Amino acid sequence: MKNVSYHTFCSGRATMTNTIFSKLRSLKNEFTPKQKKTIMMITVTCVIACITIPTVSVLLGGRKSNDVSISSSNQQIDDVSDTENLINFDKDSTPTQQPSIEKNSNSKQPSLRTKPNTVMPSSSPSIQKAKEIPFSSSTNEPSNTIVQNLLSSSPSHRPSYSQSNAQTFLPTSSPTHFPTHNPSATPSQIPSVQPTNAPSPSPSTQPSMIPSPTPTQSPSSLPSTVPTTQPSLEPTKNPTDRPTVSPVSQDYCFTNLIPPDELRLTSGKWWEYASQLNKSRHEWFAGRGKDEPISGLDTMISAVLFTLSSNGLKLTAFFPPLYPGETRDAKLVVTGTVSGKEHKTSCDIKEDFWYCPFRIEGINTDESYTYSVKYTPNKNSDPETTKIRYSYNGNIPKPVDLPRIASVGCFGIDNTMDKTELVNAVEATNPDLLILSGDQTYSHRELVYGFQETLHSIQHLTRNIPTIVMMDDHDYGQGNLMGADTGDEESGSGFEKATCLINSIEDLMVSHNPDPARDTVMWNGMSSKYTSYIYGDIDFAITEARKFKQTLDTKKDNSLLGNEQEEWLKSWCETDIDKIKVVLAATPFASLPTHSTSFSSSNSIKAVSTNNIDPNGFPVKGRTRVMEILNGCSSLILSGDQHLGIAVTYDDYNVSDCASPAAINSVFWRLNYNNLNETHTDAFGNKYTLHNAWNIEESVLSNHKEPSKTRNQNKTVKNDRGDGFMTIRFDGSNAVCAMNEYWLGHKIKWESTLPIA
């Protein structure tokens, strides 16, 4: 219990109280009855205290009201709702139903992790960290848990085991029952594959093994967002009633807000959990000992992602989960191939997420470069272990005027992580730029591992090719995500996972992307990531609709991108008008499938009805505003998400949309049976001309009926189910979108030529 003076609680915190009540009003339909009752009790208590305490103090002798102390409530809103059906995959890759997780009325669940003392990752080394909302005792401000949660999140985004619209997937194979976690384990219990003569970790580098159940001091800060990287686009100011800081530390996040059965492959004593899973699939990191390289490689760096622009180089290096005692920093050396000039920098490896974001400003795009990421796992005084060093080398090519683009996304669930055929086929197209178009993982409870595995499996592509990463719903661990839900467009009320986790996942996946174009912080503490990227003669608008999209029953203004992103998009259209404007979006701007199947149902193909609000064809008003902005500005959208390779033109706005197919089409099958070269209308009245569509073969539909049953099939079946990727090239005043097969060797399925001028 914390004592708070009456003056501080009732008078000095008036601004915060107004903010909280404003938040409550905007979310009044979001709370469960139990939560409403709890909030009402606290509100009444506060009001009574603020009214009666000064009166009582006067009656008792004129005691100054600001000397009266009250105890702040330590009650917390219940984080856990109903049970969830968890789907795992056993060793023979057959879906099995796991026992449901029991509801726990105590929101402070005991964590199964051992947490090092680290700060939350930032999106770049130059980002300044913000102050915390949880207040230290020296400020004499309340640290009430409910106040903290209200400022940091909305009820619907708090950890919930009843995610009815999102199936939960784990990499094959995982045990039917979760292993018992031993929070008292010591570094000596690290798997025996580590060298027997390895010295014990130094106390100065040894992370704390057991987290305290609650923060014992003012938590370390989360990253704030950064201003635009495009000088012509000034960041908008945050509205005065919107939070401008991120609320909780990583320790608090893992201990209190992330369910204990999540992220166990990459956090805490990950080696204990990994040892019980599919050995072959996880051998690349679980099979290595302390200070040893990744299995099958001669390095400890698993992959890199990078972009080079007029604002400099952003390169992120990725690591397997590190053992206690292995160092948490790395170095980068970049050398000009013509000038010979060296650029050096370093960064800290982010605990539990295992990435290291480098940034070099002032480096230009006039020449190509080589790079080398360097890592020394042990820096103690023993010369035998200190001299163990690893490196990861690659090339940063000079941008070309009209890049060849490869767009790959929807990495569905397969019985292996090997993607050799896909990598070889993409390399055969000789791309200058790679786009990971979204849904890089479907492992909803292991988002960090899921992304890291995908990235490691295609690291031969990203090593030497600049890459833009788009995040879609499954990258957030939530299928068919509507970020605004029924709340305000920047409420974030549709997110089910904790904001502190979402911020870290975003930094993991897109910290190498160009800096965000706005410094907006949403009501739930998330930040905007939309931005632009100029590569040669192409100016890309990297949009994000998932965060701001509202659902069917909203009475708001039908947000898709949100007002601020719409304003930015207008500015983007008005700058660098000599460039070819291309929009990157996670999903198409119409409901293009006419038929679909579910993940694991043997029902026949069903017609798609008006409930398909997943693409950007909905909400209609928001979609209309975006298309009106693009009319006369950009003639080409590159998207994905729908597991359907397709090319269309929205004739009302002279804008074409090419959507990439699923790289691994084992989750959902979607088809378009409309006639080619005719105009069609989706369920929401959005018109499009269909140029081409890549439907799966009828033999796959009739013989296998559901996507999950094709995961163990041969390459011919996987080829016929529509696995592939999209390439884009620019030919004069046209763009050519091509769909590519890869399982039986690289082959172009079809091409569509679309005007861009």
Side-chain angles (χ1 to χ4, degrees):
M1 303 288 279
K2 179 176 179 179
N3 290 331
V4 181
S5 70
Y6 164 80
H7 175 77
T8 299
F9 188 78
C10 293
S11 300
R13 305 303 339 137
T15 302
M16 185 180 70
T17 302
N18 289 337
T19 301
I20 295 170
F21 287 168
S22 175
K23 179 67 174 174
L24 288 173
R25 285 193 297 270
S26 67
L27 297 174
K28 61 184 180 179
N29 294 324
E30 306 288 335
F31 293 103
T32 64
K34 180 178 179 180
Q35 292 169 344
K36 289 180 180 179
K37 182 178 179 180
T38 302
I39 294 169
M40 180 60 69
M41 291 174 62
I42 294 170
T43 304
V44 172
T45 302
C46 293
V47 172
I48 293 175
C50 292
I51 294 174
T52 59
I53 287 177
T55 304
V56 172
S57 65
V58 171
L59 294 175
L60 293 177
R63 189 177 184 182
K64 292 182 180 180
S65 61
N66 61 358
D67 291 332
V68 179
S69 294
I70 60 175
S71 296
S72 60
S73 173
N74 196 37
Q75 187 178 3
Q76 186 175 10
I77 294 176
D78 187 5
D79 283 343
V80 183
S81 58
D82 297 331
T83 58
E84 175 190 22
N85 292 327
L86 305 176
I87 298 178
N88 285 332
F89 300 97
D90 58 17
K91 293 182 179 180
D92 62 3
S93 302
T94 303
T96 59
Q97 183 106 4
Q98 262 196 259
S100 60
I101 295 178
E102 292 298 324
K103 181 176 178 179
N104 184 355
S105 60
N106 181 8
S107 60
K108 290 187 177 181
Q109 304 174 54
S111 175
L112 296 185
R113 301 181 182 85
T114 56
K115 284 297 293 103
N117 293 326
T118 55
V119 298
M120 187 64 93
S122 61
S123 59
S124 72
S126 63
I127 292 177
Q128 298 297 316
K129 296 183 185 296
K131 292 182 179 180
E132 285 297 323
I133 286 179
F135 308 110
S136 65
S137 57
S138 61
T139 62
N140 202 29
E141 293 181 324
S143 60
N144 183 285
T145 308
I146 292 181
V147 171
Q148 185 184 71
N149 284 344
L150 288 174
L151 290 177
S152 66
S153 63
S154 60
S156 60
H157 104 281
R158 296 191 185 107
S160 171
Y161 299 127
S162 60
Q163 302 170 10
S164 58
N165 64 337
Q167 287 180 306
T168 304
F169 306 116
L170 281 179
T172 56
S173 296
S174 56
T176 304
H177 300 286
F178 294 126
T180 302
H181 202 81
N182 178 14
S184 62
T186 62
S188 63
Q189 294 173 284
I190 292 173
S192 57
V193 290
Q194 62 177 313
T196 57
N197 60 350
S200 299
S202 168
S204 61
T205 60
Q206 173 72 22
S208 173
M209 297 298 292
I210 302 177
S212 57
T214 57
T216 57
Q217 57 184 354
S218 182
S220 55
S221 59
L222 298 179
S224 60
T225 51
V226 295
T228 175
T229 59
Q230 308 297 334
S232 59
L233 302 178
E234 293 297 328
T236 56
K237 294 182 178 179
N238 293 323
T240 56
D241 61 348
R242 187 186 301 159
T244 57
V245 295
S246 298
V248 296
S249 70
Q250 183 169 337
D251 286 343
Y252 185 91
C253 184
F254 269 79
T255 306
N256 296 273
L257 302 178
I258 300 177
D261 63 328
E262 292 193 16
L263 308 187
R264 295 200 296 169
L265 276 168
T266 52
S267 63
K269 293 179 182 58
W270 52 268
W271 57 87
E272 293 181 356
Y273 184 48
S275 67
Q276 303 181 44
L277 299 181
N278 183 298
K279 298 289 185 181
S280 60
R281 185 171 197 127
H282 304 92
E283 182 70 17
W284 69 276
F285 76 92
R288 76 173 189 91
K290 186 175 179 293
D291 299 341
E292 292 183 354
I294 295 170
S295 297
L297 300 179
D298 58 359
T299 184
M300 281 183 65
I301 297 96
S302 62
V304 301
L305 293 170
F306 69 87
T307 57
L308 175 65
S309 68
S310 59
N311 297 294
L313 172 70
K314 297 184 72 177
L315 183 149
T316 300
F318 298 85
F319 293 78
L322 300 179
Y323 290 110
E326 292 181 325
T327 56
R328 266 49 173 183
D329 62 86
K331 301 182 184 300
L332 172 67
V333 179
V334 178
T335 306
T337 56
V338 177
S339 66
K341 183 178 180 180
E342 280 193 351
H343 305 264
K344 297 181 179 181
T345 188
S346 61
C347 66
D348 294 329
I349 299 171
K350 308 304 179 183
E351 197 79 23
D352 301 314
F353 299 89
W354 312 117
Y355 71 100
C356 198
F358 297 102
R359 184 190 194 108
I360 300 178
E361 297 180 347
I363 189 171
N364 59 55
T365 59
D366 295 337
E367 64 175 321
S368 58
Y369 301 86
T370 61
Y371 71 83
S372 180
V373 178
K374 300 179 181 297
Y375 176 70
T376 302
N378 199 323
K379 297 181 180 179
N380 60 27
S381 58
D382 186 340
E384 291 302 315
T385 57
T386 302
K387 69 181 182 182
I388 299 175
R389 295 185 176 93
Y390 298 101
S391 62
Y392 188 97
N393 305 317
N395 300 307
I396 303 171
K398 177 183 176 180
V400 300
D401 292 338
L402 295 174
R404 295 179 297 273
I405 303 171
S407 179
V408 191
C410 297
F411 292 85
I413 305 163
D414 208 355
N415 60 345
T416 175
M417 66 174 286
D418 181 43
K419 297 179 180 63
T420 301
E421 292 87 353
L422 172 63
V423 169
N424 291 341
V426 173
E427 286 182 332
T429 67
N430 197 23
D432 302 298
L433 179 65
L434 180 66
I435 298 172
L436 299 184
S437 60
D439 292 343
Q440 279 69 245
T441 179
Y442 290 81
S443 300
H444 287 185
R445 285 188 291 152
E446 295 289 351
L447 291 174
V448 177
Y449 174 80
F451 180 74
Q452 289 266 23
E453 182 191 273
T454 296
L455 200 56
H456 179 60
S457 68
I458 63 170
Q459 54 100 6
H460 290 294
L461 291 176
T462 63
R463 180 190 291 261
N464 301 312
I465 303 174
T467 305
I468 291 294
V469 173
M470 304 290 293
M471 292 186 66
D472 201 14
D473 49 352
H474 294 283
D475 298 309
Y476 292 101
Q478 185 177 343
N480 298 338
L481 172 64
M482 309 287 170
D485 198 28
T486 59
D488 294 333
E489 63 185 39
E490 291 175 354
S491 66
S493 60
F495 285 88
E496 295 176 351
K497 292 187 182 291
T499 295
C500 51
L501 173 59
I502 293 172
N503 286 341
S504 294
I505 292 297
E506 287 190 324
D507 288 336
L508 167 73
M509 297 184 183
V510 302
S511 61
H512 72 288
N513 278 3
D515 291 338
R518 291 291 187 266
D519 62 352
T520 300
V521 177
M522 297 165 57
W523 265 111
N524 68 340
M526 291 176 59
S527 59
S528 302
K529 299 297 183 184
Y530 58 84
T531 187
S532 60
Y533 176 50
I534 295 178
Y535 184 103
D537 290 338
I538 312 297
D539 187 4
F540 295 95
I542 305 171
T543 64
E544 53 178 357
R546 289 292 182 188
K547 286 181 181 173
F548 310 103
K549 187 170 182 175
Q550 293 171 322
T551 52
L552 275 172
D553 58 353
T554 181
K555 298 179 181 178
K556 309 294 181 182
D557 196 22
N558 284 276
S559 168
L560 180 61
L561 298 185
N563 289 329
E564 287 194 11
Q565 190 173 182
E566 289 177 11
E567 292 174 5
W568 166 78
L569 194 60
K570 293 176 184 177
S571 300
W572 174 76
C573 285
E574 296 168 356
T575 59
D576 298 304
I577 57 176
D578 59 322
K579 302 291 184 181
I580 298 173
K581 300 284 188 175
V582 177
V583 174
L584 303 184
T587 189
F589 281 78
S591 178
L592 298 178
T594 61
H595 295 75
S596 67
T597 67
S598 64
F599 169 72
S600 58
S601 171
S602 58
N603 294 334
S604 59
I605 295 289
K606 296 180 294 185
V608 174
S609 62
T610 55
N611 64 357
N612 184 29
I613 63 175
D614 185 48
N616 286 343
F618 178 88
V620 176
K621 290 182 180 179
R623 185 258 189 190
T624 299
R625 289 195 301 273
V626 174
M627 299 306 294
E628 289 175 345
I629 294 172
L630 297 182
N631 190 4
C633 163
S634 172
S635 300
L636 182 62
I637 298 170
L638 303 180
S639 60
D641 176 60
Q642 293 295 286
H643 302 237
L644 172 65
I646 194 167
V648 302
T649 296
Y650 308 120
D651 295 305
D652 292 346
Y653 305 98
N654 300 310
V655 176
S656 296
D657 196 336
C658 293
S660 60
I664 302 175
N665 199 13
S666 62
V667 180
F668 306 107
W669 289 339
R670 296 187 176 108
L671 310 96
N672 187 308
Y673 286 144
N674 285 331
N675 295 328
L676 301 183
N677 302 314
E678 294 182 5
T679 299
H680 307 279
T681 304
D682 73 2
F684 303 103
N686 303 310
K687 295 181 179 180
Y688 64 90
T689 295
L690 177 62
H691 302 297
N692 226 320
W694 185 357
N695 294 321
I696 65 175
E697 298 294 331
E698 291 295 331
S699 60
V700 176
L701 288 174
S702 59
N703 293 333
H704 302 285
K705 298 189 183 300
E706 60 190 70
S708 62
K709 290 186 176 180
T710 62
R711 291 194 296 129
N712 292 321
Q713 297 300 316
N714 59 39
K715 293 181 180 181
T716 299
V717 172
K718 293 180 179 180
N719 187 75
D720 291 346
R721 72 183 179 187
D723 290 19
F725 62 96
M726 179 172 69
T727 55
I728 305 96
R729 70 179 191 272
F730 299 92
D731 180 15
S733 59
N734 297 315
V736 180
C737 295
M739 302 299 155
N740 299 257
E741 300 176 344
Y742 68 85
W743 277 114
L744 304 178
H746 175 244
K747 178 183 177 181
I748 296 178
K749 183 74 172 179
W750 51 257
E751 293 184 341
S752 288
T753 301
L754 307 167
I756 56 174

